[in-house]
Amino acid sequence: MAIDMDDEILQDFLVEAQEILESLGEQLVELEQTPDDNELLNAVFRGFHTIKGGAGFLELTSMVKVCHCAEDIFNLLRQGERKVDALLMDVILKSLDVVNGMFEELTSGNEPSAAPAELLSQLESLMAGEVPEEEAAPEAVVDEVDVEFDAMLDGATSDDSASSTDEITDDEFESLLDDLQGKKTSENNALSSNASDEINDEEFDHLLDEIHGKGKHSTPDKAPASDSTVSPSEPSKEQAIPAQTVAAPKEQPKPAKKDDASKAGSQQETTVRVATKRLDEIMNMVGELVLVRNRLKTLEGSRNDEELSKVISSLDVVTGDLQTSAMRTRMQPIKKVFGRFPRVVRDLARSLNKDIRLEMEGEETDLDKNLVEALADPLVHLVRNSVDHGIEIPEIRKAAGKPETGTINLSAVQEGDHILLSIADDGAGMDADILRQIAVDKGLMDEDAAARLDDTDCYNLIFAPGFSTKAEISDISGRGVGMDVVKTRISQLNGSITIESEKGKGSTIKIKVPLTLAIMPTLMVMLSDHIFALPLVNVSEIFNLDLSRTNVVDGKLVVQVRGKSIPLFYLREWLIPYDESPMDKSEGFVVIMNIGTRHMGFVVDQLIGQEEVVIKPLGALLQGVSGLAGATITGDGRISLILDIPGLTSSHAQSM
């Protein structure tokens, strides 16, 4: 059955449910590690309860069934009638996956499918106090998480689902729900009267919000015809219903004071949902303003006008502030990505019989929404490889004098206009000699070339296409591909990736990416009389060309930088080969750039300087041309091409 996606109540439910579902995955894994955390237990209970209430209001019976079962199980846990264990958590996590699948169907405009009968049977067994049959390690769940990763990234962030308190008894809670839903019995009437005497106005209002999805699902003209909800065994008393059917308890809550109402109203208006398309339009207009500012600053240098300089300086400040504010509207915390990894690591560790603790730092670090989405897949590959290749099984760790529990640290920190991401583990580390031998065995290089590699170059071999240290192929960390995709993807984001490792101690992979992809800091250079822009994030160092420092190795030109040979190329030969003006190869500047994990040198004729540019798409004739990332307008009004260095080198350089 098709769903009316224009229904405002449905849209509110989708936003709220997505926030809760994103939190539940991380909360469940944390609860398994700290089963005595009552506050966390209550937060998970409230999460399933809130989704069930909203789904019941929208008559999504299949979603209600699963959430109701999970809610009942967590109620048993809260009462101490069951204990948290791995088998129970396997079933609950599978239930969360099923609810996520239903949520995806709902967002696509379709009625959610019924839950698998096997899952419902397992949930009923848990509710009855029985132990469900142990299943195989949850590898399939991990693959599903990987496939659905991107679809779960969008949406606003909120901690509301875990912020409420649980200060009344279960009997009082059930009684109040019966009163509110107009399902009183004489016995419940008496209990409701007692309960109303024992809770204050604030608690009553809070419970109303919980039942009606924080007040978002109570629009009268949107109410369904029936307030009944199907449950696995018996009708639930805790269903959300339209506001017009709500009967107040015997003792009416006192009206809020005027000041309190004003305060509450102001709090409700502190945020507003805006379509990302509109934010993109604002960012494009700010980009145009930046180009005009750059043009005026260039004109300022040719005019000796003090008043004009003051006006341009003021415009520069305002434009910079506006640019920063516009960028922040598109920012999201990296937690949108990090929040999925506790589940990924937990399932992988169980499938590999490993004991792993995941530590996360800097989850509130903000970066562009597009980057948050683009970083999801590379980070999944890297974390899964740390679990599979890095951390040893407990027996091996114990024999090596290490704690049986391995540690993976995932961190993010802002450094200027860039974000530094780090994935570190205390596992076995990398053996440079083994990596050299694998490269030779796979035919990636001969023994002499492998022998000349230093340890860092050996570590970077894992990013070569088809390179794998695994003797057997598995679905956990790829099939010999994946790490090369990581390097390519990071390069496409104008980022860099480096590896540090110590045999027996562990490995650290660092990724550096810009805060945003809309406005890019660049190094402007001249080739003949043409201007080109190099992404500044890839620039490592610049020095004057000195032919005495160049040499030819294996038929390729290299330059010596602190005792290390770096491939050297003349950009002019790649970009403007038709230029017939004489080129003096003994003069120019060498720009050392990071290409993924490698360093390469490029000779340019002149250096113009650093400039922030707005990336403009290429025209139809240039779209798809390898080596070009876009175009921009320089301060003097000329058009400059922005170079895609990884694409350029893969097209022109015969060997990386």
Side-chain angles (χ1 to χ4, degrees), residues 223-284:
S226 172
D227 61 358
S228 62
T229 306
V230 179
S231 67
S233 54
E234 61 180 5
S236 171
K237 298 179 182 179
E238 303 172 9
Q239 301 163 9
I241 61 172
Q244 68 267 29
T245 65
V246 175
K250 292 183 178 180
E251 182 177 334
Q252 295 290 342
K254 297 178 181 179
K257 295 180 180 179
K258 184 176 181 180
D259 293 342
D260 294 339
S262 300
K263 182 178 180 181
S266 63
Q267 289 176 344
Q268 293 175 357
E269 297 175 358
T270 55
T271 59
V272 60
R273 281 191 295 162
V274 179
T276 54
K277 181 180 180 181
R278 186 167 299 176
L279 295 179
D280 291 340
E281 292 174 353
I282 294 174
M283 197 65 191
N284 288 335

Side-chain angles (χ1 to χ4, degrees), residues 286-298:
V286 171
E288 295 294 338
L289 183 59
V290 170
L291 293 177
V292 174
R293 178 202 62 182
N294 293 344
R295 177 66 173 150
L296 288 173
K297 291 179 69 175
T298 302

Side-chain angles (χ1 to χ4, degrees), residues 308-546:
L308 178 62
S309 297
K310 290 180 180 180
V311 172
I312 293 177
S313 297
S314 299
L315 177 64
D316 187 20
V317 173
V318 173
T319 302
D321 292 342
L322 180 60
Q323 175 185 335
T324 302
S325 298
M327 287 172 56
R328 286 177 178 171
T329 61
R330 292 162 46 102
M331 294 290 189
Q332 285 186 336
I334 193 68
K335 184 178 181 180
K336 301 294 288 185
V337 178
F338 280 14
R340 298 293 168 260
F341 289 117
R343 172 72 187 283
V344 172
V345 171
R346 183 260 181 196
D347 286 346
L348 285 174
R350 271 184 58 76
S351 69
L352 296 171
N353 296 318
K354 294 181 179 181
D355 190 0
I356 302 176
R357 180 179 68 253
L358 176 65
E359 298 176 347
M360 297 188 293
E361 302 174 6
E363 298 174 83
E364 301 305 320
T365 303
D366 290 333
L367 69 163
D368 194 290
K369 176 182 179 293
N370 294 334
L371 274 171
V372 171
E373 298 169 352
L375 285 170
D377 286 341
L379 289 178
V380 166
H381 278 295
L382 294 175
V383 171
R384 293 177 68 155
N385 272 273
S386 291
V387 174
D388 189 20
H389 295 274
I391 303 296
E392 315 95 325
I393 60 175
E395 293 79 6
I396 294 179
R397 292 181 62 86
K398 185 176 181 180
K402 294 181 176 181
E404 294 187 15
T405 300
T407 301
I408 296 177
N409 182 276
L410 189 61
S411 65
V413 63
Q414 181 175 342
E415 294 185 345
D417 57 355
H418 296 84
I419 294 292
L420 179 64
L421 301 170
S422 177
I423 303 97
D425 65 71
D426 64 349
M430 300 184 189
D431 189 323
D433 293 332
I434 292 178
L435 295 173
R436 287 189 185 94
Q437 189 59 48
I438 293 176
V440 173
D441 294 342
K442 290 183 175 292
L444 299 178
M445 59 183 62
D446 56 34
E447 293 187 0
D448 291 338
R452 290 196 297 267
L453 297 177
D454 59 21
D455 287 353
T456 300
D457 290 333
C458 291
Y459 302 150
N460 290 330
L461 287 172
I462 68 172
F463 293 107
F467 190 93
S468 177
T469 59
K470 274 284 190 181
E472 298 180 0
I473 291 176
S474 71
D475 291 330
I476 294 176
S477 54
R479 298 178 174 270
V481 297
M483 295 302 284
D484 60 318
V485 176
V486 170
K487 185 188 79 169
T488 301
R489 187 60 179 142
I490 296 301
S491 298
Q492 290 172 347
L493 297 175
N494 298 317
S496 61
I497 183 168
T498 58
I499 301 179
E500 300 172 2
S501 184
E502 184 176 354
K503 185 178 178 181
K505 297 294 182 63
S507 303
T508 300
I509 297 180
K510 296 181 179 180
I511 298 173
K512 190 175 183 181
V513 293
L515 283 174
T516 179
L517 299 178
I519 297 177
M520 178 189 299
T522 63
L523 175 66
M524 309 298 288
V525 300
M526 290 283 293
L527 300 177
S528 185
D529 58 350
H530 301 277
I531 301 177
F532 293 92
L534 305 177
L536 194 62
V537 66
N538 297 120
V539 177
S540 175
E541 61 181 298
I542 304 171
F543 53 83
N544 287 319
L545 177 63
D546 184 356

